[in-house]
């Protein structure tokens, strides 16, 4: 069986400070959504273009709570960019926005993670996010990811109550152990919890006993492709990769990051050449199923990891 690859992108807007928010937001929107540089737009437009150049499908998780303060138009613009390029839109929530509104959604600050809120509050946050995405032109939303991977079992209950069938908030490297849904060890493949299918972010062992997520900006090309091969050979059914709309930019968000751009292009060429083994998938037409058996963790190659350490050091020097 081929290994279904989900190339997921979290789309977020982060102002340079929470004060003077109305003044800062337009610049933050341009920077995190379009990523203008002297060589073109390296935010969402470049990510979409590279995926399309290789005939690949992406699933984009859009943070929607900012629209409660800044209205539906910016959100509609983001949805239009993604759907106009032929890719899927799903829901992403960063509750940091909850108390940054003219009138806070809840009378008492709860925290910046979904799991900081009660079941009823999480359900209301999801309702607001879904309603704004629908108003922005995305009527079909079937998957969710919590900001900072900060979810719990009540998040899944709230998703089920709102008709969202799939979640990909579980990251075995980030808050996985504290999510409350691990049962006897880390999750590597799809499981059903609280009526929702959980598709874990994929990870690989880079050093003995240490795991690293399959994230574009966090792993080398060699590590990512070795992990894909290992997952397919181990009988995995799904492989969830993570990126962000701004990951092709350097840390200043003003220039392309040449190492990550090259890594992304090489990865897309690999997936295009081997689409028979690693087809890219979305969630809209997915028939979710629980992985049968006990999936085993996968390993990368130490040489690839050493190369990544050197590569990441170069990125810091170049930024």
């Amino acid at each position: 069986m081929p290994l279904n690859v989900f190339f997921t992108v979290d789309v977020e807007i982060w102002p340079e400070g929470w004060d003077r928010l109305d003044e800062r937001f337009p610049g933050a929107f341009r920077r995190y959504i379009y990523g203008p540089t002297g060589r073109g737009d390296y935010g969402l437009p470049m990510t979409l273009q590279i995926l399309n150049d290789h005939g690949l499908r992406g699933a984009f998780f859009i943070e929607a709570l900012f629209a409660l303060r800044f209205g539906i138009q910016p959100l509609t613009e983001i949805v239009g960019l993604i759907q106009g390029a032929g890719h899927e839109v799903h829901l992403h929530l960063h509750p940091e926005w909850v108390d940054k509104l003219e009138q806070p959604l809840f009378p008492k600050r709860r925290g910046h993670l979904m799991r900081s809120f009660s079941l009823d509050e999480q359900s209301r946050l999801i309702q607001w996010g879904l309603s704004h995405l629908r108003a922005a032109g995305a009527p079909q939303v079937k998957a969710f990811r919590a900001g900072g991977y900060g979810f719990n079992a009540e998040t899944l209950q709230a998703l089920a109550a709102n008709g969202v069938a799939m979640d990909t908030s579980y990251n075995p490297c980030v808050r996985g152990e504290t999510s409350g849904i691990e049962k006897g060890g880390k999750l590597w493949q799809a499981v059903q919890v609280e009526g929702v299918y959980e598709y874990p972010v994929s990870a690989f062992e880079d050093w003995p006993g240490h795991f690293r997520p399959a994230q574009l900006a966090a792993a080398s090309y060699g590590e990512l492709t070795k992990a894909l091969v290992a997952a397919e050979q181990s009988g995995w059914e799904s492989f969830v990769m993570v990126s962000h709309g701004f990951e092709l930019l350097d840390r200043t968000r003003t220039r392309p990051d040449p190492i990550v751009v090259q890594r992304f292009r090489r990865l897309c060429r690999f997936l295009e050449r081997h689409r028979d083994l690693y087809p890219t998938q979305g969630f809209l037409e997915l028939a979710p199923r629980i992985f049968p058996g006990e999936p085993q963790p996968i390993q990368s190659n130490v040489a690839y990891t050493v190369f990544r350490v050197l590569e990441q050091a170069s990125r810091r020097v170049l930024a």
Side-chain angles (χ1 to χ4, degrees), residues 207-275:
W207 303 106
H210 180 269
F211 291 89
R212 193 164 186 88
Q215 180 173 341
L216 182 64
S220 68
Y221 166 78
E223 286 176 313
L224 292 171
T225 52
K226 176 66 169 66
L228 284 164
V229 172
E232 188 270 329
Q233 292 178 347
S234 297
W236 283 20
E237 293 182 341
S238 60
F239 192 92
V240 179
M241 305 181 76
V242 177
S243 183
H244 291 80
F246 52 82
E247 282 195 16
L248 301 184
L249 296 163
D250 69 5
R251 288 187 295 174
T252 71
R253 308 284 185 253
T254 61
R255 300 189 301 266
D257 185 323
I259 290 175
V260 177
V261 172
Q262 181 190 46
R263 184 185 297 169
F264 186 38
R265 291 187 187 277
R266 292 183 68 195
L267 175 65
C268 288
R269 286 197 294 269
F270 175 88
L271 292 171
E272 181 182 24
R273 286 196 309 269
H274 303 290
R275 63 173 69 248

Side-chain angles (χ1 to χ4, degrees), residues 251 259 309-319:
R251 288 187 295 174
I259 290 175
V309 172
L310 297 173
E311 196 175 52
Q312 301 293 67
S314 298
R315 290 178 62 205
R316 287 191 289 272
V317 171
L318 293 172

